[in-house]
Amino acid sequence: MRMLPKVLAAAIAATLISAPAFAAELTGTLKKIKETGTITLGHRDASIPFSYLGTEPGKPVGYSHDIQLKVVEAIKQELGMPELKVRYNLVTSQTRIPLVQNGTVDLECGSTTNNLERQKQVGFSVGIFEVGTRLLSKKSAGINEFDDLKGKNVVTTAGTTSERLLKSMNAEKQMGMNIISAKDHGESFLMLESGRAVAFMMDDALLYGEMAKAKKPDDWVVTGKPQSFEVYGCMVRKDDEAFKQVVDKAIAATYASGEINGIYDKWFTQPIPPKGLNLNFPMSEELKKLVANPTDKSAEEI
């Protein structure tokens, strides 16, 4: 058998190795996106200012959504797909995890807390925000701390960590609260605004968002000692390390470049749609630490 010249043999070998390598490397979500030419982004309709519907029908806006779009740009580069189509899929607190798990949604960046329980079901990116769980109530209601809620109607949003914390507190301290679980943050605030509840327990940044869209924002106050500190992350399918790596690198690059500061100011210290109100919510020291040292750990693990 005649031997091929070494250079030619090496070139053929390199071709055989490199030609299918790109395709062979693609698995999971990256493969799905490459084959369909589309990425499906999960978004919320009322998680102001993180992910909510703006003035353009069906199109989300918000802090988390802007970070999500940075990830999309990175995926376009990674796959060599500048014309990648973006599809939006509305999710709620209750549907967001199942829709990521079953492949309907490829990436969900909203106001989803990364915790140990959820890590059993989905994967999380490096953290994109850190919050404390507090209360929103009318200034005139005299609610200053969680102990003031004994025997009262309190609302929270179904499927959230706040709902679990509130129910646990109610049972352990025998507070006799009537806990109302609303379908989303907008409905929770409606319950509060209409007087059916004296307080709304949720992540402080979201409470500031609800207060900003109130008819009279000055009538409301965010109060109470935080019952937990939580880190938000973008959700991806569990054990899809290749996709998660692209997501994490895109978010970390947004932090390292300083672009995150502009994104943060846009949604938390400047007027935002729909009413042009300002949340006046400066970046916390906790978030600054997260930006300086990105991690995919939950608050329980940090």
Side-chain angles (χ1 to χ4, degrees):
M1 180 175 168
R2 194 163 66 92
M3 297 293 289
L4 288 169
K6 284 184 180 179
V7 175
L8 180 58
I12 292 172
T15 304
L16 290 172
I17 292 166
S18 62
F22 183 69
E25 285 170 9
L26 291 183
T27 58
T29 306
L30 288 176
K31 184 180 179 185
K32 174 178 179 277
I33 292 169
K34 183 72 174 178
E35 290 176 350
T36 62
T38 304
I39 182 169
T40 302
L41 304 179
H43 71 90
R44 305 295 295 273
D45 63 350
S47 284
I48 297 172
F50 295 95
S51 176
Y52 63 104
L53 291 173
T55 53
E56 199 174 325
K59 191 170 181 184
V61 295
Y63 169 84
S64 302
H65 182 63
D66 280 358
I67 291 175
Q68 194 166 226
L69 292 180
K70 290 289 181 187
V71 175
V72 170
E73 289 307 310
I75 291 167
K76 285 179 179 179
Q77 283 196 324
E78 180 75 17
L79 298 179
M81 299 178 71
E83 302 302 317
L84 178 65
K85 292 177 184 173
V86 176
R87 181 178 293 146
Y88 295 118
N89 198 107
L90 179 64
V91 301
T92 67
S93 297
Q94 292 148 306
T95 65
R96 56 190 169 180
I97 290 176
L99 289 174
V100 170
Q101 285 179 311
N102 69 20
T104 302
V105 166
D106 298 317
L107 178 68
E108 190 269 350
C109 299
S111 51
T112 302
T113 299
N114 174 2
N115 60 33
L116 294 173
E117 183 185 338
R118 287 174 177 164
Q119 285 175 16
K120 296 173 186 173
Q121 305 172 75
V122 291
F124 281 94
S125 71
V126 295
I128 61 170
F129 207 82
E130 186 158 353
V131 295
T133 47
R134 301 180 71 196
L135 297 169
L136 177 64
S137 66
K138 259 196 171 169
K139 287 177 180 175
S140 59
I143 304 294
N144 299 308
E145 272 303 339
F146 281 82
D147 285 346
D148 298 329
L149 301 176
K150 288 177 182 174
K152 297 192 165 63
N153 291 349
V154 185
V155 68
T156 188
T157 305
T160 62
T161 50
S162 288
E163 181 188 39
R164 180 170 52 79
L165 284 167
L166 197 58
K167 287 181 175 178
S168 177
M169 182 193 303
N170 201 27
E172 287 173 14
K173 295 188 176 182
Q174 298 183 328
M175 295 175 70
M177 289 183 284
N178 174 36
I179 298 170
I180 304 164
S181 296
K183 70 178 176 68
D184 57 34
H185 306 318
E187 185 175 276
S188 290
F189 185 68
L190 191 61
M191 296 266 185
L192 180 65
E193 200 171 32
S194 63
R196 284 175 281 178
V198 298
F200 172 19
M201 180 182 179
M202 190 44 58
D203 305 340
D204 52 10
L206 289 169
L207 294 179
Y208 276 94
E210 291 304 313
M211 187 164 67
K213 71 179 187 183
K215 292 167 188 168
K216 295 182 178 178
D218 289 342
D219 288 353
W220 303 92
V221 63
V222 175
T223 188
K225 181 183 177 182
Q227 294 304 295
S228 69
F229 285 97
E230 302 180 1
V231 175
Y232 291 170
C234 296
M235 282 196 295
V236 298
R237 276 180 277 290
K238 190 170 172 60
D239 299 325
D240 192 344
E241 286 305 315
F243 184 60
K244 175 176 151 48
Q245 191 175 44
V246 176
V247 174
D248 285 347
K249 280 175 65 179
I251 297 171
T254 303
Y255 293 171
S257 68
E259 288 175 281
I260 189 64
N261 298 313
I263 294 172
Y264 186 94
D265 289 344
K266 174 183 171 184
W267 295 103
F268 290 96
T269 66
Q270 296 174 17
I272 62 169
K275 293 187 176 181
L277 293 169
N278 192 330
L279 273 63
N280 292 311
F281 194 74
M283 188 181 287
S284 67
E285 290 305 311
E286 289 80 14
L287 182 54
K288 287 176 184 176
K289 288 175 187 173
L290 192 61
V291 166
N293 298 289
T295 176
D296 62 0
K297 286 183 167 62
S298 67
E300 302 151 290
E301 299 170 285
I302 294 173

